[in-house]
Amino acid sequence: MPPRSDEPRRDATGSRRGAVRGGAARGGEPRAGQPRTGEPRTGQPRTGEPRTGQARGGEPRTGDPRSGESRGGDTGGISDARAYTPRGRTIRESSEDRGGQRRTPRAGRSGDPFRPALQVLDGGRAAANRSGRREAAPTGRSGVIRTVPPRVTPDDDEFAEPPAPRRRPGRSVPRRGDPPGRGAPRRTETPRRTDRPAGRRPVRKPRRPPKLAEPRRRLRLGTVLVLAIFAVIGIRLVVLQAVDTPAYAGGGVDNRLTRIDLPAPRGSIQDRTGAPLARSVEARYVFADPTMVKDRTETAKLLSPLLGVPASELAEKMKRRGGLQFRYLARGVDVAQAKQIEALDLAGIGTHRDERREVPGGDLAANLVGFTSQDMDGLEGLEARYDDLLRGQDGRRVYEAGLGDLNAPIPGGYSQTTAPKPGSSLVLTIDRDLQFQVQQILSRQMAQTRGAIGAAVVLDVKTSDVLAQASNPTYNAASPEQSRPTDREDAASSFVVDPGSVHKAITYGAALQEGVITPDSAWPVANSITRGGVTFRDTHPADGKKLSVAGMLAYSSNVGTIEIGDRLGRDRLIDYQKRFGLGQPTGEGMPGEASGRLLPAEQWSDSSYGSVPIGHSVDATPLQMAAAYATIANDGTYVQPHLIKEVVGADGKRTPAAAPVTRSVLSPQNAAALRTLLEAVTTVDDATGVAAAVPGYRIAGKTGTGLRYADGRQQPGEVGSFIGMAPAEAPRYVVAVFVWNPEGGGGAVVAPAFREMMGFTLRHYRVPPSRGKSPNFEVFPR
């Protein structure tokens, strides 16, 4: 605010504000309704006087603050409002009426009748000069009149707006939003009594102006905030442009990438000579995009003769199901047929590289090899057991391609190819030609029975290589879906039976090794023997005659064998059973191989002393029993039978299979003595194995008749078996044949089957005939 002046406030004409305007009109006569001199104002406007600042005749009053106009450009304000006389005229107008005469601050002070009223309007305080000094309040009725200096309006700014008037006590404040001159009516105060001292009126302290905020602090804070925002934005831009660029760029590229799997060729399964038993060949698969097929019925009719699939089945596969865009129509289609399908140019039909498993021999070693699914996953047999080795690793080609009609690799775009790694190949110990002949012989011999199960195993004596392993019934591995699950089992490694009399070779070998008997031992043998209330009889009664050990084997004497078992003892017999490989899987390589079962010593009953030595109360597989006889043929050394010869990698590198487990069971002398004793089975008159003799070769072996148990229950019929080796003087091969016939008579089949299999094996490998003849055995020595 500017400093207050010592001069009384005056209007533009020099008149002192707050003084009484002329009490009469220009002619000196008092106007009608004007209060008399000295008469206090009532504070009410005159009746009928307009409030808009106009005179009675409708002409706007000069200088009236409520008219919005003023003389000389002065718009008037609250100060002019204070200077109104009861007749509504301002001091400025009165001065102009008096011809512009200027009154001194003290002129006419004593004769002003309205000074008390002005004193009330001024708050009852004495006017202070500009220097801040207060004049002494006079006593009596005269009060101090606060004068206001005139507001000077520059002559050069005619339309300048005066400053806002100061608010005075006793005056109403216009409401916010009221237009000028339309506020609440002005309230005037009645003159205060002058006999009351003005000093006794309480003095109001001026309000302190609100403390304003520090602008510099606000400026600094705003600057810091703006800089922080810009810093965050800048850092984010740097991250997006530098750090996250590969991710966003990769996201865009990923939408344009096309991925094509490159199947890895599955390794083949070969025989010992490299001839394929199962292999993969290039083929095509035919697929449909149901969303693009226009006429699925007509399309199915065109594809049916080429794919060999009914048209109704193809049409069902091409039916739209949601957003499905891929459906196999056929797998393993020949390349020539796929080209014919491509030539049809059918909408929504396409072909792609595929792989088909081919089995050249059909059912040749099918129970060993097994088969795969359409996705080249091994499901059974060696295909399942060595699936990880045969499968290999698929490759992939990833490249940028356009969309729609531009669905082709983009030149210069992203492209990466991962070459597939073909699977390794398995080389088996199987001889394909021998395998074929063994299967044919077994199938032909078993044609005489119904519902029978047969198994045949051919082992190399020195290495225990499985040269042939046949099962009957069998199936075509190229079309496994047309077979029964039981037809696909490998009977040689999963068919568990009571071996019967073929187990007697183990009992005699253990007795020879332990010195219980010698090759020349003989003693009287009764026709039957009882153990634990069970009577065991011989099929060839000796009638109490002295019977040699060779005769006991030739006639398969149960009584003589039980007596040898009594001399050997339970624990030693169990120990030799384990040494010969019974009671545990051989680890040949076939999945699901059975382990068989040996009767623990603590579970033996009195009858077990009669049943176990002759091959009952014992569970074994044909493969286990063949390995036991190969131990006798190999001078008493057990060699684990095995199917895998070597593994051939994709690069052609050959890795031999792990060396088989070996252990000594019998001494070479005892093994040779046992082989000689076993020759009596095929040479002694009326012996049990005469039908198994091979002309020109010395054959050592043993017949057996056992039982079959399934889920702990004995099955009807019997299991006939024959296991032999040739040539007996220096064995090269072991052949085991087992046949279970639910109607009985399995023994009549196995001996002729063995003779054919062993004869072909010896001729196939060009084994020369035996030079000498088998010894003459004395069955009933004197």
Side-chain angles (χ1 to χ4, degrees), residues 272-289:
R272 66 186 301 112
T273 64
L277 299 175
R279 63 185 177 185
S280 296
V281 295
E282 184 178 355
R284 297 289 185 271
Y285 65 79
V286 181
F287 67 94
D289 184 352

Side-chain angles (χ1 to χ4, degrees), residues 281 294 325 617 733:
V281 295
K294 296 180 179 179
Q325 296 180 342
S617 300
Y733 305 103

Side-chain angles (χ1 to χ4, degrees), residues 128-463:
N129 54 18
R130 291 292 182 180
S131 62
R133 293 176 301 176
R134 297 174 60 97
E135 297 180 4
T139 58
R141 297 180 57 92
S142 62
V144 179
I145 299 176
R146 182 179 179 182
T147 59
V148 181
R151 181 169 56 247
V152 180
T153 302
D155 295 337
D156 57 350
D157 191 358
E158 181 178 356
F159 300 99
E161 184 177 355
R166 296 180 61 185
R167 186 175 179 181
R168 298 287 184 172
R171 303 178 67 88
S172 62
V173 180
R175 289 177 298 179
R176 182 176 298 178
D178 289 345
R182 298 297 300 273
R186 189 173 55 181
R187 185 182 61 186
T188 58
E189 297 286 342
T190 56
R192 298 176 59 91
R193 294 184 54 145
T194 56
D195 55 347
R196 183 176 180 179
R200 297 179 60 184
R201 182 179 180 86
V203 180
R204 297 183 180 180
K205 294 183 179 180
R207 294 183 179 179
R208 289 187 177 182
K211 186 177 182 181
L212 301 179
E214 179 63 34
R216 295 182 180 179
R217 183 179 301 174
R218 289 185 176 180
L219 182 59
R220 287 194 295 268
L221 180 59
T223 303
V224 171
L225 292 177
V226 171
L227 292 177
I229 293 173
F230 276 102
V232 171
I233 295 174
I235 294 173
R236 181 57 180 164
L237 289 176
V238 172
V239 171
L240 292 176
Q241 294 293 329
V243 180
D244 295 343
T245 297
Y248 286 100
V253 172
D254 188 68
N255 295 331
R256 300 188 299 273
L257 291 182
T258 299
R259 297 171 176 84
I260 298 178
D261 291 333
L262 304 177
R266 188 177 179 86
S268 62
I269 298 179
Q270 307 169 6
D271 79 333
R272 66 186 301 112
T273 64
L277 299 175
R279 63 185 177 185
S280 296
V281 295
E282 184 178 355
R284 297 289 185 271
Y285 65 79
V286 181
F287 67 94
D289 184 352
T291 62
M292 299 182 64
V293 175
K294 296 180 179 179
D295 188 347
R296 59 188 181 92
T297 303
E298 185 64 25
T299 302
K301 291 180 180 180
L302 295 174
L303 293 177
S304 179
L306 295 175
L307 299 178
V309 181
S312 59
E313 182 178 344
L314 293 175
E316 181 66 22
K317 291 182 178 180
M318 289 184 285
K319 182 182 296 184
R320 295 190 180 185
R321 292 178 175 85
L324 184 66
Q325 296 180 342
F326 182 89
R327 190 74 183 272
Y328 281 117
L329 298 182
R331 299 290 302 273
V333 179
D334 291 337
V335 177
Q337 292 178 340
K339 290 182 178 179
Q340 296 179 15
I341 294 174
E342 292 175 357
L344 296 176
D345 194 20
L346 300 174
I349 305 299
T351 63
H352 201 272
R353 186 186 184 280
D354 197 10
E355 187 177 357
R356 184 181 71 248
R357 200 65 169 170
E358 186 180 71
V359 183
D363 63 349
L364 182 64
N367 300 79
L368 296 177
V369 174
F371 58 91
T372 64
S373 66
Q374 291 184 340
D375 294 327
M376 295 291 112
D377 296 326
L379 298 181
E380 287 195 18
L382 297 176
E383 294 275 19
R385 175 67 182 274
Y386 297 96
D387 183 63
D388 294 339
L389 184 66
L390 295 167
R391 170 192 300 277
Q393 297 180 1
D394 293 342
R396 173 171 289 191
R397 183 188 177 195
V398 182
Y399 60 91
E400 284 189 79
L403 299 176
D405 296 337
L406 299 178
N407 188 9
I410 299 176
Y414 177 84
S415 178
Q416 183 179 8
T417 302
T418 302
K421 296 181 180 179
S424 300
S425 297
L426 286 179
V427 179
L428 306 183
T429 59
I430 296 294
D431 187 326
R432 183 179 60 172
D433 295 336
L434 180 60
Q435 177 74 25
F436 176 77
Q437 288 297 329
V438 169
Q439 286 187 212
Q440 292 297 314
I441 295 170
L442 183 62
S443 176
R444 185 169 58 251
Q445 291 293 333
M446 291 187 62
Q448 306 173 21
T449 63
R450 291 186 307 172
I453 297 176
V457 179
V458 180
L459 295 179
D460 186 300
V461 169
K462 296 300 181 181
T463 62

Side-chain angles (χ1 to χ4, degrees), residues 526-698:
N527 293 337
S528 64
I529 191 172
T530 301
R531 290 290 184 272
V534 179
T535 300
F536 301 90
R537 294 181 173 85
D538 284 344
T539 56
H540 293 71
D543 297 330
K545 298 179 182 180
K546 191 176 182 179
L547 188 64
S548 67
V549 174
M552 295 178 188
L553 285 173
Y555 295 144
S556 190
S557 173
N558 292 330
V559 177
T561 305
I562 292 173
E563 291 176 347
I564 293 176
D566 291 341
R567 298 177 184 182
L568 182 63
R570 178 192 63 184
D571 295 335
R572 286 192 292 184
L573 179 57
I574 294 175
D575 180 53
Y576 275 91
Q577 285 177 327
K578 293 179 179 178
R579 290 187 185 184
F580 275 101
L582 272 61
Q584 58 185 356
T586 64
E588 174 198 33
M590 285 296 296
E593 181 184 3
S595 62
R597 181 177 179 271
L598 295 178
L599 188 64
E602 60 274 10
Q603 296 182 12
W604 278 44
S605 63
D606 293 338
S607 63
S608 299
Y609 289 90
S611 61
V612 173
I614 63 176
H616 296 287
S617 300
V618 178
D619 292 337
T621 64
L623 181 63
Q624 288 175 324
M625 295 307 301
Y629 274 73
T631 302
I632 299 172
N634 193 30
D635 292 333
T637 301
Y638 174 87
V639 180
Q640 175 190 13
H642 52 279
L643 274 171
I644 308 302
K645 180 182 178 181
E646 61 184 0
V647 177
V648 181
D651 56 354
K653 182 180 179 180
R654 296 178 177 270
T655 304
V661 177
T662 61
R663 57 177 174 269
S664 178
V665 181
L666 303 175
S667 66
Q669 297 78 12
N670 290 324
L674 182 58
R675 290 196 300 268
T676 303
L677 294 173
L678 290 173
E679 286 188 70
V681 177
T682 60
T683 59
V684 173
D685 294 339
D686 201 23
T688 58
V690 174
V694 178
Y697 295 91
R698 295 172 59 180

